[in-house]
Structure formats: C-alpha cells, structure tokens
Amino acid sequence: METTLRGVGVSHGVAIGEVRHMGTAVLEPPAKQIPAEEAEREQGRARQAVEAVAADLTARGNLAGGEAQHVLEAQAMMAQDPELMADVERRIAVGSTAERGVYDAFASYRALLANAGEYLAGRVADLDDVRNRIVARLLGVPMPGVPDSDEPYVLIARDLAPADTALLDPALVLGFVTEEGGPTSHSAILARALGVPAVVALPGAGELAEGTVIAVDGSTGEIFVEPSAGKRAEMESAAAARKAALSASSGPGATSDGHKVPLLANVGGPGDVPAAVEAGAEGVGLFRTEFLFLDDSKRAPSEEKQIAAYRAVLEAFPEGRVVVRVLDAGADKPLDFLTPADEPNPALGVRGLRSLLDHPDVLRTQLTALSKAAQGLPVHLEVMAPMVADRADARAFADACREAGLQAKFGAMVEIPSAALRARSILREVEFLSLGTNDLAQYTFAADRQVGAVSRLQDPWQPALLDLVALSAEAAGAEGKSCGVCGEAASDPLLACVLTGLGVTSLSMGAASIPYVRATLAKYTLAQCERAASAARAADSAEEARVAAQAVLSGE
C-alpha cells in the first residue's frame, strides 16, 4: 500500500527504485588497557593509520575533482589535525589501545563540533567518517560503504560521508535518502553538485526494508513507499517534462515576457567555478570568502593568498558580475583571532561586519586584496558586508571600502529585520542590497537554525519573511538600485518566481539549481509572478503561501 513520508529535499530530481542500505558502521572498539611498554608501538600504529587514511582521502579527492576534491582534502586535514593526534597519543600513553585512543579522542572533538553552531555541527558526519576509516584500518576490517549492486537503486543511510558521496556512480545510485543531515551538510552540497536527487532529515529512513520500491522527489522532500502505478507514471512524466524543459532552457534568466532576472551562482572558492560556468551562471551573486579563513582559526590568511584565490574566481567571469561577501565570522563560524570565545549568545553578538569593524586591519587586508585581484580584469566587482543592522553600519563599511581604494560597488546584506525595515536609509550609503534569507528567517522568527523543533519557522515561504523581502525590494526600486537574493530561497524554482514578483532583481543559488530556476521562470510572465507573490503574502502560513502561489501559476 502506498504511503508518503516527508524529509527535506536538498537536490532536485526524481528517483524511483529499490532500496539498498549503506554498510554497517564500524563497531566501537573494546576499552582494554595495554602495558606501558606497548604505548610507543600503539602510538606508531595510530600515526600510520592516520597518514594512510589521509592519503586515501586525498587520492579520492583527486579522482573526484571539483567541489568534492575540496571537501575530501578538508577531511584529510581533519584526520591529520595535530591537536587531535596529540590527544590520541595522550590516551594511548595512559593505557588505551591505538583504536580506542582514536575512538575516544574523536568522540571528544565530535561533542565540541556538535555544540559549536550550524556550520561546524554540519561537519560532524565528516568527522565520524574519518574516525571510522582510521578505526577500521587499525582493526583490519573492511570500511563500510556504498553497497555492491549491478542494478540501479536508491541508497538509504543514516548519513552519507563525503568520501562515499563524492564517488557515487549516478548510473547506479538513482538517488539517496538519509535520516540525518541538512541543506548545509557536505552530503547535500555534493548531491547537488552531482545532480543526484536527495532527501535528508527523514526520521525512520533506516527502517525501510531492503528491496522496497520507493519514489524520491528531491525537490519537495517527499518519499512515496511502494508507489502505485499511477503515482510512478505521474512522477516519471513530471521528471521527463522537467528534463525536456531544462534541455530547452539556456541563456540569461528571464520571464516569458522578457523581464530579465540574472541568475547567479553561490560559490565558496575557485573549486566551485567550473560547475557555475557549465550551468550558465551569469556571474556570482555570493562569493563566500570564509573558506580562506576557516583553514586556520588562529590567524588570517596573507594578502597574497587572498589575492590568488579571489583572482581565480574573478577571471572566470569576464564582463560578468561577481559579488563578494567579506568575511562573515562569528556565531556558527568562530575564529580564534577574531571572535569572542565567551559570548552567551554568539548569533546575537559580535559577528559579521561587527567583528570586522572591531578588527579593521583584517577588513583592510581583505578589501586591499580584492582591489588588487580585480586590477586589469573586465569583471564587474561588487563587495558586500554581512550582518548590516542600520545606516551607521552601512556607512562604516562604505568608508572602509573607499579608504582601501576599492574600485567596486559597495553593498549590504539584509539578514536582520531592521535592515529590511530601514532599507531605504541603508541604500543612501551603499549601492545594492542582497537578501540572506537563511539568517533573515532566523532573526525574524527568533528561531535558531540549529534547532529542529522550530524548523517550520525556517521555511522561506513564511509570509512574514516574504513581507520583509518585499520591503527591501520596494526600497531598492525607489532608490533606483538593485536588490538580489542569495539565500537558499533562490534555489526553489517556484519561490524564485514569487521573489521575482516581489521585485527582486537577481537570484543567486548553487550551480545545480540554476537550470531548474531558469526553466521555471521562462514559463511565466512578470504579471503572473506578481500575482503569485501577492497570493503568497496574503496567506497565513508557509504551506498556504506555497499552495496559493502554485494555484496562481497553474491558472487554477
């Protein structure tokens, strides 16, 4: 009998096939004591296992390339973390075996990550995978992984490690479903990069029996267990129509009546650029620069290192628009040299632009590096500040840009309700706005992005959030300036139409979402988008807003 489950869709597409489960995780090694004279030998075993696993992860990354390579290289660095290794050796020195020392040291570090904010908590699955690989090597047992199968299947797992996700064969793995994870987990990011339909955060996914036929909708997050012939035909037809629309869609983003909506890419570094170019991105709407700073939380990267990374991205979009967000540190991305360690509520403390204004040398170096990176290039560089609260913040950032000699447009991110409410005032200091819908939802609804119990308030379809988007877009229109969206909301094709109807002038998203958004926008006129936006704002809940917008666009 057909039943429906709902998780979080993180990668567009439809997959229909039999369930196959990921191999069992490595068992916890026994806690037995070793004689003191064996400690040095056990420490050597641990070091050898760590180096072997790091080398394997690096090799897998080289094979996968692109975004996956960066993720796996980060995992290799995690395996070789000197503080972690020192903890392992301390535990062995007081009597642990190599495998138990690794297991316990990683458990301690895991607890720190899980409580350190969304970005770092999203790396817990990566850490678990590194631990499992090292322990498996020490125990001499096979590493759990993707099951062997000659027939295509839908993969079910508690969570997927990047090393497994990166090398999935899309010809065999039709899609995957996990019990844990979220839109910002590495598995979700890599699924989008691979173009594999994926649903995460589905409680009880592991209870689906091996061989059960399921249909996965990576857009809606719906899972249909033992789908009827009619449901399968409906989903296959919709998938075929979507694929045809994607193939036929190319060129700049626009509505069916020619209203231009530039479709830009969110990138985290040079490794994301090839996928963005292939997807037809018209530029970069959000260049997250944190990747340069998170490699070493003790000190900022040199100006030279920053110049090289920025130029690699800028060169990829000649004549295009590249919007760079200066360092957004604090809250879920703490940096020892920049952010306070003892804040009672870091999300409401010194983060984003506030951190940079407290450390003007870090901001000055970054702005100078951006200026030098853009020299001689025909790119249209724009630089924006995160967590702008009011006109004073906007003025301070614009002044810093001018003092650094930056020849670029200066902008402000709208992530705090006050910035949306006073957008026109802020626009007297800067030249554009960019809406970060993830944080804007968090602060609008007092709903922590890490707390699952309030996840419904993180839905970007919430009418109150749409009201703030509308206020920002209207203010930008009145000032003759642009207002884009670079949060996750832009990657939802239906919501992209609503955002266009609200007056948003550009949409930025992960590269894999660009074809879907382009094809959907091209089906509707600007007037239809505006009517859908009005219907969504008139609703009282996120689900009602989604249904109302869909009804308008479907002509119902």
Side-chain angles (χ1 to χ4, degrees):
M1 180 178 176
E2 179 180 309
T3 57
T4 304
L5 306 174
R6 183 183 286 274
V8 178
V10 296
S11 184
H12 296 298
V14 169
I16 302 174
E18 292 187 0
V19 163
R20 294 285 183 274
H21 286 268
M22 180 68 84
T24 306
V26 174
L27 296 176
E28 179 179 346
K32 63 180 182 181
Q33 290 290 108
I34 59 169
E37 60 269 21
E38 292 184 16
E40 187 173 345
R41 179 179 66 85
E42 290 294 289
Q43 289 172 339
R45 287 181 64 227
R47 285 192 295 270
Q48 289 176 357
V50 164
E51 291 304 318
V53 166
D56 178 62
L57 290 167
T58 301
R60 284 170 176 259
N62 292 335
L63 182 62
E67 172 69 25
Q69 184 170 2
H70 290 288
V71 171
L72 293 172
E73 286 174 349
Q75 271 198 296
M77 292 176 63
M78 189 181 282
Q80 296 171 303
D81 184 279
E83 292 185 15
L84 250 178
M85 197 60 223
D87 190 16
V88 170
E89 294 189 345
R90 280 194 296 270
R91 293 171 188 274
I92 295 173
V94 295
S96 287
T97 61
E99 46 267 36
R100 188 71 206 192
V102 168
Y103 187 89
D104 289 341
F106 272 72
S108 177
Y109 194 42
R110 186 188 199 280
L112 291 176
L113 283 187
N115 295 313
E118 182 191 25
Y119 181 86
L120 293 178
R123 309 286 81 83
V124 164
D126 304 4
L127 187 71
D128 288 347
D129 181 54
V130 172
R131 176 204 64 202
N132 289 348
R133 290 176 185 278
I134 297 171
V135 171
R137 192 170 188 91
L138 287 165
L139 292 174
V141 301
M143 182 63 209
V146 177
D148 290 328
S149 176
D150 294 329
E151 297 296 325
Y153 59 91
V154 177
L155 182 62
I156 306 293
R158 181 178 178 185
D159 206 344
L160 273 172
D164 295 316
T165 317
L167 299 179
L168 291 179
D169 181 356
L172 283 176
V173 181
L174 302 172
F176 67 75
V177 179
T178 66
E179 291 193 53
E180 299 181 357
T184 62
S185 67
H186 272 149
S187 293
I189 293 168
L190 293 176
R192 290 191 286 268
L194 287 166
V196 177
V199 172
V200 301
L202 180 70
E207 297 172 12
L208 291 168
E210 190 89 1
T212 302
V213 174
I214 65 172
V216 179
D217 190 326
S219 300
T220 66
E222 291 175 304
I223 307 293
F224 301 95
V225 182
E226 298 290 2
S228 64
K231 173 58 72 174
R232 293 181 65 157
E234 175 189 329
M235 294 186 71
E236 288 169 349
S237 176
R242 184 180 295 170
K243 185 175 181 180
L246 291 177
S247 300
S249 175
S250 62
T255 58
S256 62
D257 55 342
H259 174 74
K260 293 182 179 180
V261 187
L263 302 181
L264 312 170
N266 294 343
V267 304
D272 294 341
V273 168
V277 173
E278 185 178 351
E282 297 168 61
V284 172
L286 173 61
F287 180 5
R288 304 181 183 94
T289 57
E290 289 78 56
F291 80 101
L292 277 169
F293 293 80
L294 292 171
D295 284 346
D296 184 351
S297 68
K298 305 294 184 185
R299 62 185 64 82
S302 67
E303 181 180 305
E304 291 71 25
K305 182 177 180 180
Q306 292 189 54
I307 290 171
Y310 302 151
R311 193 170 180 90
V313 174
L314 296 175
E315 286 177 334
F317 295 95
E319 305 294 343
R321 178 187 180 201
V322 175
V323 184
V324 179
R325 180 179 70 192
V326 294
L327 176 62
D328 183 16
D332 58 349
K333 291 166 284 190
L335 292 172
D336 294 345
F337 70 89
L338 196 67
T339 50
D342 56 353
E343 287 187 311
N345 191 338
L348 299 179
V350 182
R351 61 166 297 196
L353 179 61
R354 299 168 187 174
S355 295
L356 293 174
L357 294 179
D358 279 353
H359 297 81
D361 53 324
V362 176
L363 177 58
R364 187 182 310 111
T365 298
Q366 184 169 27
L367 294 174
T368 301
L370 283 165
S371 180
K372 291 180 179 179
Q375 285 178 2
L377 298 179
V379 68
H380 299 288
L381 175 63
E382 301 183 14
V383 182
M384 62 185 181
M387 299 301 294
V388 171
D390 56 16
R391 185 173 180 176
D393 278 352
R395 183 188 303 119
F397 178 65
D399 287 345
C401 289
R402 282 188 284 267
E403 288 169 11
L406 191 63
Q407 300 298 309
K409 286 186 176 182
F410 318 141
M413 291 198 71
V414 177
E415 301 165 285
I416 303 173
S418 63
L421 294 167
R422 301 290 294 171
R424 197 158 184 181
S425 171
I426 288 172
L427 282 164
R428 294 194 173 99
E429 302 293 341
V430 295
E431 298 173 82
F432 68 93
L433 300 177
S434 184
L435 288 136
T437 51
N438 304 349
D439 266 325
L440 185 57
Q442 171 174 251
Y443 293 123
T444 298
F445 296 103
D448 193 324
R449 293 165 60 180
Q450 302 170 61
V451 178
V454 294
S455 61
R456 74 174 184 86
L457 297 172
Q458 290 294 326
D459 193 322
W461 280 94
Q462 284 286 354
L465 189 67
L466 299 180
D467 288 343
L468 292 176
V469 173
L471 279 174
S472 304
E474 288 165 6
E479 293 292 323
K481 296 180 178 180
S482 63
C483 177
V485 169
C486 63
E488 286 297 317
S491 64
D492 179 335
L494 182 61
L495 186 50
C497 295
V498 167
L499 295 172
T500 298
L502 292 174
V504 166
T505 55
S506 65
L507 299 166
S508 190
M509 64 209 76
S513 297
I514 290 176
Y516 291 92
V517 173
R518 181 192 293 121
T520 304
L521 269 177
K523 291 164 59 177
Y524 306 110
T525 65
L526 177 59
Q528 287 176 298
C529 293
E530 290 171 341
R531 288 197 295 273
S534 295
R537 289 182 69 188
D540 291 321
S541 71
E543 185 57 32
E544 288 176 12
R546 185 183 291 107
V547 170
Q550 181 66 71
V552 170
L553 294 177
S554 300
E556 297 176 7

